[in-house]
Amino acid sequence: MHESFRLEHDFLGDRQIPAGAYWGVHTARAVENFPITGTPLAAMPELIRAFGHVKRAAARANAQLGVLGQAHADAIAAACAELIAGRFHDQFVVDVIQGGAGTSTNMNANEVIANIALEQMGHAKGRYDLLHPNDHVNASQSTNDVYPTAVRIALWQGIDGLLASMATLRRGFEAKAEEFRDVLKIGRTQLQDAVPMTLGQEFSTYAVMLEEDEARLREARALIQEVNLGATAIGTGINAPHGYAELACRLLAEDSGIPVVKAHNLVEATQDTGAFVQLSGVLKRVATKLSKTCNDLRLLSSGPQAGFGDIRLPARQAGSSIMPGKVNPVIPEVVNQVAFEVIGNDVTVTIASEAGQLQLNAFEPIMGWSLYKSIKHLSNACLTLNTQCVAGIEPNRELLEKRVRESITLVTALNPIIGYEKAALIAKTAIATGKPVVGVAEELGIMTRAQIDALLVPEKLTQPLRPPS
């Protein structure tokens, strides 16, 4: 069967477009021009829905200001509703990495919206004499204000999801901190034995680190609510009616439920991508600390016979094709790799932001794609770490108790009770004989076993000294 086509044109000439396609000539050229990743815009559903919100708010503003007739505005708004509902996303076929500062993405949206609207009005696709992608769907707009606004809307929604995932993981660590609150262990600094602590204290730090990063992420999210919609090409508002910027931003906030506000200076806002750099830096912070946590989990669970062995991670899969019975910490490992990716994405965003010139940054597509991946992958990583790993962690209680009783570092806790000289004598003797501190202290007649046993409880070994009563 031969596929049927319709003929479309731009100022470069005519092109045959598949009759069933909702995209048009500008999209077709972009598909040819940017065969880069093989990943189409359809992989970013949040961005497509964001374009639906932006274009619908623009159509409503244009109708109120007399730029569009009500019939055209209603048809565009109805088509946008389809995108917001998740339909027609497969028609966004342009590669996520593209030249032109996002023009190809904007035109892909304009053409799809126009053709959906035309069909809903009872017309054939491509009848742009009745409703035009540029003259109507893109009225009072430019890629340079629509694209960054849509990216911010999409990122805002993505951050909401990431915050929820981080909160889920935080609660998972909080639950383990409570469960392990009375499990004594030896802490470590520089991978060497330090003083006693509880496993609960160790796990509580992971929860606190996440909570701190949730706050930083909310701060970064607040910066991207400032948009340049209405700036058109460079921020002067050319081709947009007076009052359009304020009205379009207000309608966008109502339509999307996101508290976007018009930037104070639209010329500055059109060229400045500092909010993306700030957000990327916070995502790098989240990734770095999350990776450190996973490093700890891998170390603490190392073994099971020749490693630290403080905790046991849930076994998720066979760890080797040659060593029977081997189990690897695959969940922390995959989260580590997500963190590496996010750190690399931050470098990309930094360089792309710095490379902007004069009144526009042409590299927002790679910034948007990098931030999208970082947010999405971090969100998935947090949920995976919680459900596949943290929830099933168990302490190696017997081993931890044995280490506490045998650890030379116990003499630090004896200092306030018996003094530095006697504590040093116990440590020196224990090291020389290989005997545990408890036995040495008893043999030297410095402390009885009952006195030492009374000391080996979490509230005395893991908290500041209480004044004598």
Side-chain angles (χ1 to χ4, degrees), residues 25 121 244 418:
V25 58
M121 296 167 70
Y244 169 82
I418 63 176

Side-chain angles (χ1 to χ4, degrees), residues 313-318 327-328 330-331 387-389 392:
L313 304 184
R316 291 301 174 196
Q317 62 184 57
V327 177
N328 295 326
V330 293
I331 303 302
T387 58
Q388 299 294 93
C389 182

Side-chain angles (χ1 to χ4, degrees), residues 169-181 183 185 197-210 293 296-298 300-301 310-313 385 389-395 400:
L169 178 58
R170 169 173 50 79
R171 288 189 292 270
F173 278 121
E174 288 171 345
K176 286 298 172 181
E178 176 64 21
E179 180 183 341
F180 302 154
R181 68 186 184 280
V183 180
K185 60 163 289 180
M197 67 185 305
T198 68
L199 192 60
Q201 287 174 318
E202 191 161 42
F203 271 67
S204 71
T205 63
Y206 306 141
V208 171
M209 287 194 292
L210 280 162
T293 296
D296 286 1
L297 295 178
R298 290 190 295 116
L300 293 172
S301 65
D310 288 13
I311 60 175
R312 301 184 185 93
L313 304 184
L385 182 60
C389 182
V390 174
I393 292 176
E394 298 177 349
L400 293 178

Side-chain angles (χ1 to χ4, degrees), residues 170-381:
R170 169 173 50 79
R171 288 189 292 270
F173 278 121
E174 288 171 345
K176 286 298 172 181
E178 176 64 21
E179 180 183 341
F180 302 154
R181 68 186 184 280
D182 62 345
V183 180
L184 270 176
K185 60 163 289 180
I186 297 299
R188 299 179 181 88
T189 58
Q190 295 163 272
L191 294 182
Q192 305 301 305
D193 294 352
V195 296
M197 67 185 305
T198 68
L199 192 60
Q201 287 174 318
E202 191 161 42
F203 271 67
S204 71
T205 63
Y206 306 141
V208 171
M209 287 194 292
L210 280 162
E211 186 174 35
E212 290 176 345
D213 284 352
E214 288 173 58
R216 303 292 82 75
L217 191 55
R218 289 189 184 93
E219 293 168 358
R221 183 182 63 176
L223 294 179
I224 64 170
Q225 72 186 52
E226 185 179 270
V227 300
N228 72 329
L229 189 61
T232 65
I234 64 171
T236 60
I238 190 172
N239 289 0
H242 179 73
Y244 169 82
E246 291 78 10
L247 179 58
C249 288
R250 179 171 61 80
L251 293 174
L252 177 58
E254 293 176 2
D255 195 77
S256 65
I258 296 172
V260 296
V261 295
K262 183 179 80 71
H264 175 69
N265 185 311
L266 292 178
V267 175
E268 179 274 336
T270 302
Q271 62 187 272
D272 180 21
T273 55
F276 293 155
V277 176
Q278 177 75 7
L279 173 58
S280 184
V282 172
L283 295 174
K284 180 179 72 173
R285 170 183 166 137
V286 173
T288 300
K289 293 164 70 175
L290 195 60
S291 190
K292 186 271 181 191
T293 296
C294 287
N295 294 341
D296 286 1
L297 295 178
R298 290 190 295 116
L299 277 172
L300 293 172
S301 65
S302 60
Q305 294 174 309
F308 283 12
D310 288 13
I311 60 175
R312 301 184 185 93
L313 304 184
R316 291 301 174 196
Q317 62 184 57
S320 173
S321 62
I322 189 174
M323 293 176 280
K326 190 174 190 293
V327 177
N328 295 326
V330 293
I331 303 302
E333 286 173 351
V334 77
V335 176
N336 282 132
Q337 291 174 82
V338 169
F340 306 156
E341 179 196 30
V342 172
I343 294 167
N345 289 341
D346 179 62
V347 175
T348 298
V349 171
T350 301
I351 295 173
S353 179
E354 182 277 334
Q357 298 164 319
L358 303 176
Q359 280 69 60
L360 183 67
N361 189 307
F363 308 113
E364 288 193 14
I366 191 63
M367 284 188 261
W369 177 233
S370 297
L371 290 167
Y372 178 85
K373 289 188 296 179
S374 291
I375 291 170
K376 191 74 172 178
H377 295 174
L378 277 175
S379 182
N380 291 340

